[in-house]
Amino acid sequence: MGAPAPVSTLAEQVEGPALAIGQVTLLRSKQRPLRLTRGVWTTLRVMVENPGTVDVDSAVLTGRGKGIRVRKAAVGQVSTRWGTEVEVAVKLQGKRRTSALRLTVRGDGASATTTLPVRRVAPPARAVPGRYRSPDRTVTFRVRNGRLTNLSVTMQMQCGSWPQYTYPTQTWTFPATKIPRNGIIHRWVRVRTTHRQDARLLELRVAGRKATRARFWLEGGYCTGSKFFRAGRFAN
């Protein structure tokens, strides 16, 4: 008898363009089930990969589910060499306690789908008004009238170009931002300074007297930086 025929596996590379959906995270944390507060737009990060041999030039991510709204997101190019992370906003509606979120990515004739169980959760305790700071005091902000204000972040930046990088410590701010019912802030802003325009991202969960899973990120062309932190309310 001859040797048995080889068995193909999912790990084998597809000839031509291909798509696959990797991790889906909320505040950089993988959740299963996905816990959503009803009536609030929540931003998820979805990793889109290409296990094929040809880059996908343009892909789009869509989603659906019973009692779930999803905003279509442009993924753009998906290389065979690295994944592309895209943000997609979802909202749980109606009275259902459980549902399923079906995400689909399509582009250049390729497609992929994944399904996540969804569970409705109650809103967390509202953020207590007052002053907050990180344990190392490099991050401070206020909670006032349901808004996060006066954010100040001191962090090390990477500036210049290789091989002449410099690493100055700089302090940055962020505009006042409303705290949603689910306590999760995920907001991009563009700020124009004297010499350039930079992009800033603030993401965190603030509830009760604590801010957790927080990150401030800035990219200004010449300098970039990212700081992960947590913070708590302290007496004035």
Side-chain angles (χ1 to χ4, degrees):
M1 297 179 62
V7 178
S8 62
T9 67
L10 293 176
E12 289 181 351
Q13 198 170 42
V14 177
E15 291 295 329
L19 289 169
I21 296 178
Q23 282 198 349
V24 180
T25 59
L26 173 60
L27 289 177
R28 303 175 311 282
S29 176
K30 186 178 179 180
Q31 292 194 355
R32 196 170 186 90
L34 177 63
R35 296 169 176 84
L36 297 177
T37 299
R38 184 174 62 184
V40 183
W41 285 106
T42 302
T43 300
L44 308 178
R45 281 197 177 90
V46 181
M47 180 60 70
V48 178
E49 299 167 340
N50 183 349
T53 57
V54 178
D55 290 352
V56 172
D57 290 329
S58 181
V60 174
L61 182 73
T62 59
R64 60 186 176 87
K66 292 183 178 180
I68 301 175
R69 290 182 61 190
V70 182
R71 289 175 175 161
K72 182 169 64 174
V75 181
Q77 185 184 57
V78 187
S79 171
T80 59
R81 292 173 292 173
W82 52 75
T84 299
E85 193 173 64
V86 61
E87 296 178 356
V88 60
V90 303
K91 181 196 284 189
L92 183 64
Q93 300 181 125
K95 297 182 179 181
R96 300 179 63 92
R97 294 187 176 275
T98 61
S99 186
L101 171 63
R102 182 180 176 89
L103 296 172
T104 300
V105 61
R106 293 186 177 89
D108 293 0
S111 66
T113 298
T114 191
T115 301
L116 289 83
V118 174
R119 179 181 299 167
R120 191 181 82 192
V121 295
R126 291 190 178 185
V128 177
R131 299 170 63 194
Y132 290 69
R133 70 185 176 204
S134 61
D136 62 3
R137 303 192 179 195
T138 59
V139 179
T140 60
F141 61 86
R142 286 181 178 269
V143 171
R144 180 185 300 160
N145 298 326
R147 296 162 66 86
L148 189 151
T149 68
N150 302 101
L151 178 70
S152 174
V153 180
T154 300
M155 62 185 186
Q156 187 179 67
M157 305 291 292
Q158 177 178 284
C159 300
S161 57
W162 187 88
Q164 278 127 8
Y165 288 127
T166 60
Y167 299 92
T169 297
Q170 300 175 348
T171 298
W172 301 92
T173 61
F174 198 84
T177 301
K178 181 180 178 181
I179 302 173
R181 287 178 62 247
N182 62 357
I184 296 174
I185 290 176
H186 183 106
R187 184 185 178 192
W188 288 90
V189 298
R190 293 192 177 275
V191 179
R192 183 172 296 279
T193 62
T194 304
H195 302 292
R196 68 179 190 277
Q197 177 174 278
D198 60 56
R200 305 180 192 188
L201 168 66
L202 174 65
E203 54 179 347
L204 55 81
R205 183 179 189 270
V206 56
R209 297 171 178 266
K210 295 181 180 180
T212 57
R213 290 193 281 171
R215 180 175 72 143
F216 176 83
W217 179 89
L218 182 143
E219 196 280 323
Y222 183 74
C223 294
T224 61
S226 180
K227 186 174 183 67
F228 297 89
F229 65 93
R230 58 185 174 85
R233 186 182 182 278
F234 68 97
N236 293 336

